[in-house]
Amino acid sequence: MGKPHAILVPYPAQDALSEDDKLNDLASLVSIPDGLEAGDDRFELGKLSDAIFRVMPEKLEELIEELNGKGDDCEKVTCIVADTCMGWAFGIAQKMKIRSVAFWPASGVVLASLICIPKLIEDGYIDKKGTLMKKQMVQLSPTMPAISSSDFTWLSIGDLKTQQSLFDLIQKANEFMKLADYLICNSAYELETSTFTSFPDILPIGPLLASNRVAKQIGHFWKEDSTCLTWLDQQPIGSVIYVAFGSFTVFDSRQFDELAVGLEMTNMPFLWVVRPDMFEDMKNEGFDDRISKRGKIVGWAPQQKVLNHPSVGCFVSHCGWNSVLEGVSSGLPFMCWPYFADQFINRVYVCDVWKIGLEFDKDESGIITREEIKNKLEKLLEDDEYKVRAVDLKEMAAVAVGRGGHSDKNFSSFIDWIEERDT
C-alpha cells in the first residue's frame, strides 16, 4: 500500500518564496497557468475568475494524469485539497475518482454567510445578483451574533461590477463545495462556538499558525525587515503600538498624514509597517526626524515574531483573518481599521463578541482623524480589561490546538482520513 499523495490548490493571490525558504522533502511546488497573460491585473477579480475557470481545470487534470503516469517514482494522487474559491477542482476530483477537501482559510462566520446566500435572497436582504436590498442586522442562526447586511464579503470589494463578479464566483464555489468530502476551516470552536454549533459540517482545525506546530513560517510577498526585532528589544514591556494593514490596504496621502500625526500625538513608541505600494505619497515633512527616537517604520515585518514580542502592547490592524488569529494567539488587544472583504465581519468578533478591541470612527468626510487615533489608542491601552480578555482568548486558542482540543481532534481525524486507502 503506497503513501497518500495530496495536491493542494490555493487561490492564486499573493505569495512568494525567498531563496532562504525551504520546503521539506515531503512537499514540492509546481505551477499551472491561471489563464492571465503577463501584465494583466490580477486585482480585476472578474477577469481573473473567468480566466481561472477557462484554463485551470484542464491544466490540473493534465498534471494529475502526468503524476499518475510516473509509476513507482511518484505515488498516485489520492486527494485534492483546494481553497473553496477554487471549487472547480472538486469537479476534477469527482471526474477522476479522487477524494477532495474544501479548505476555507478565513473565519467560520464568513463561510456561514456565504452558505446562507439562498436564504438571504429568499428573505430579501439581497437580490439574485448579490445587490444589497435591505441594510439591517442579520442573524445567520438564533445563537450567532448579528452582522450588518452591508458587511457581506462581496459588498465590500470594488465597484458594482466587481461585486457582482465576486458574487458569481461565490455561488459557483458553493455549488462545487457540495462535491467535497470534507470541509475544513482555519478557525477554532472556542473562537466561534455558535457558528460551528449551527453549521456542524464546517470542521475547525485552527488557528493554523507556524508557532502552533513548531514550524517555520515561509512564503512572503515582501522581504522582511528583521531589524525591527532588535529595536523592539530596546523598548519597555507592553509599550509599543504595532501598526500593520496587511497586503492590500491602500491609503491616500491625507489619511496617511492623519495616521502619522495621530501616532505621533500618543507620545508612545510605535512600529509601523508601510509597504512600498501602500500610500500615494508621504508629504508629512519632518515626520521621520520628529519620531526617530520612539518610532520605527519598516517595509515588511516578521509579524508573528513581532506580535509575540513582550514590548508590543496592542495591534492596529485591518482585521484580515490571518492577522486576527496571529493577534489573538499572541494575547494582544486590537484597534480595528477594516478595509475590505471579510474584515468588517472580523471586526464584529474582535470588538463585540470577544471584546478585545475597539474600532476607529470616521468623520463626515470619511477620514479617521488624528484626534480619533490618539484618543482611541489611549482608551484601549489605559483599560486593562481589554488585555485581560485578550490573554484569556489566547489561552482558549492554545487549548484548541493543544493535545485533545477541538481543533487538534478534528485535525487528527482529518489526517487519518487522508491516510486511509481503498483496499
Side-chain angles (χ1 to χ4, degrees):
M1 182 179 294
K3 295 180 181 179
H5 181 180
I7 287 185
L8 312 184
V9 185
Y11 187 79
Q14 57 86 21
D15 204 357
L17 294 178
S18 72
E19 293 181 357
D20 296 329
D21 289 330
K22 304 295 183 183
L23 294 173
N24 64 40
D25 294 336
L26 296 177
S28 59
L29 296 178
V30 61
S31 63
I32 59 176
D34 60 15
L36 293 184
E37 302 294 334
D40 285 341
D41 186 358
R42 281 173 171 76
F43 288 102
E44 292 186 25
L45 295 180
K47 187 175 183 179
L48 175 59
S49 297
D50 290 342
I52 286 172
F53 277 97
R54 186 179 67 254
V55 173
M56 293 192 77
E58 179 181 354
K59 296 299 182 182
L60 178 61
E61 188 171 348
E62 290 175 357
L63 173 63
I64 295 172
E65 290 175 344
E66 178 185 349
L67 293 172
N68 287 347
K70 288 186 176 181
D72 295 336
D73 293 335
C74 180
E75 300 289 346
K76 291 185 180 297
V77 175
T78 58
C79 183
I80 294 176
V81 182
D83 188 299
T84 54
C85 291
M86 304 293 279
W88 51 266
F90 310 138
I92 299 298
Q94 185 182 62
K95 176 182 178 181
M96 305 186 76
K97 295 181 171 53
I98 300 170
R99 294 185 297 176
S100 60
V101 179
F103 172 60
W104 178 251
S107 66
V109 64
V110 171
L111 178 56
S113 72
L114 306 186
I115 293 173
C116 286
I117 282 176
K119 179 64 173 173
L120 297 173
I121 294 175
E122 179 183 336
D123 291 344
Y125 292 106
I126 56 176
D127 65 16
K128 293 182 178 180
K129 293 184 178 180
T131 304
L132 183 65
M133 303 300 290
K134 291 194 299 187
K135 183 178 180 180
Q136 62 186 69
M137 303 305 289
V138 182
Q139 278 188 287
L140 301 177
S141 82
T143 60
M144 292 175 66
I147 57 176
S148 173
S149 58
S150 62
D151 286 344
F152 292 143
T153 304
W154 64 91
L155 295 174
S156 304
I157 298 180
D159 57 17
L160 181 60
K161 181 180 178 181
T162 301
Q163 292 169 14
Q164 291 179 344
S165 294
L166 181 57
F167 185 74
D168 181 59
L169 171 63
I170 291 169
Q171 288 192 299
K172 290 179 181 177
N174 279 346
E175 289 302 309
F176 279 120
M177 195 162 52
K178 297 174 184 177
L179 302 177
D181 299 298
Y182 241 95
L183 175 56
I184 57 177
C185 174
N186 184 19
S187 186
Y189 181 87
E190 289 81 352
L191 298 181
E192 302 182 78
T193 303
S194 60
T195 297
F196 297 117
T197 301
S198 302
F199 295 83
D201 290 340
I202 307 174
L203 298 180
I205 61 170
L208 292 174
L209 303 178
S211 59
N212 287 338
R213 293 180 169 86
V214 196
K216 176 188 176 184
Q217 185 179 26
I218 64 173
H220 306 282
F221 203 42
W222 287 276
K223 184 176 176 58
E224 293 179 340
D225 185 346
S226 59
T227 62
C228 61
L229 298 176
T230 303
W231 180 84
L232 285 171
D233 290 340
Q234 302 167 4
Q235 310 306 318
I237 292 176
S239 68
V240 175
I241 301 168
Y242 175 58
V243 186
F245 296 106
S247 304
F248 295 108
T249 306
V250 177
F251 292 155
D252 61 23
S253 57
R254 180 184 172 193
Q255 185 62 85
F256 166 78
D257 288 345
E258 292 299 312
L259 176 53
V261 177
L263 291 172
E264 184 181 1
M265 289 169 63
T266 65
N267 289 318
M268 296 182 65
F270 61 87
L271 171 61
W272 186 5
V273 178
V274 180
R275 302 188 324 268
D277 64 339
M278 187 172 179
F279 298 98
E280 292 179 354
D281 54 65
M282 300 171 63
K283 296 179 179 178
N284 203 312
E285 296 180 3
F287 175 73
D288 289 346
D289 292 335
R290 295 198 303 273
I291 58 90
S292 61
K293 292 183 178 180
R294 58 181 177 82
K296 185 170 180 62
I297 296 176
V298 296
W300 200 245
Q303 184 157 287
Q304 279 188 246
K305 292 180 180 178
V306 168
L307 292 172
N308 280 287
H309 197 285
S311 293
V312 175
C314 72
F315 185 10
V316 180
S317 172
H318 64 307
C319 292
W321 188 242
N322 284 333
S323 289
V324 168
L325 290 183
E326 289 173 352
V328 165
S329 297
S330 303
L332 289 176
F334 282 76
M335 277 308 316
C336 299
W337 193 322
Y339 177 62
F340 78 155
D342 63 328
Q343 298 162 12
F344 296 94
I345 294 178
N346 298 341
R347 172 198 58 189
V348 172
Y349 271 72
V350 170
C351 297
D352 302 333
V353 179
W354 303 329
K355 300 183 186 301
I356 62 169
L358 296 172
E359 61 180 298
F360 292 115
D361 295 320
K362 296 181 179 180
D363 66 10
E364 61 278 1
S365 64
I367 292 292
I368 298 175
T369 65
R370 59 191 66 183
E371 291 82 11
E372 169 72 2
I373 293 165
K374 172 183 178 294
N375 293 338
K376 284 290 178 63
L377 280 168
E378 290 177 349
K379 181 178 180 181
L380 180 73
L381 292 169
E382 289 172 359
D383 189 339
D384 291 337
E385 288 302 309
Y386 291 104
K387 178 64 176 178
V388 170
R389 288 190 290 267
V391 170
D392 288 343
L393 199 65
K394 172 186 177 179
E395 294 174 354
M396 292 169 63
V399 168
V401 296
R403 186 172 297 276
H406 278 96
S407 290
D408 178 63
K409 288 180 179 178
N410 287 340
F411 190 76
S412 296
S413 296
F414 168 62
I415 295 300
D416 290 343
W417 178 82
I418 286 283
E419 292 178 340
E420 290 175 1
R421 297 294 296 269
D422 294 333
T423 59

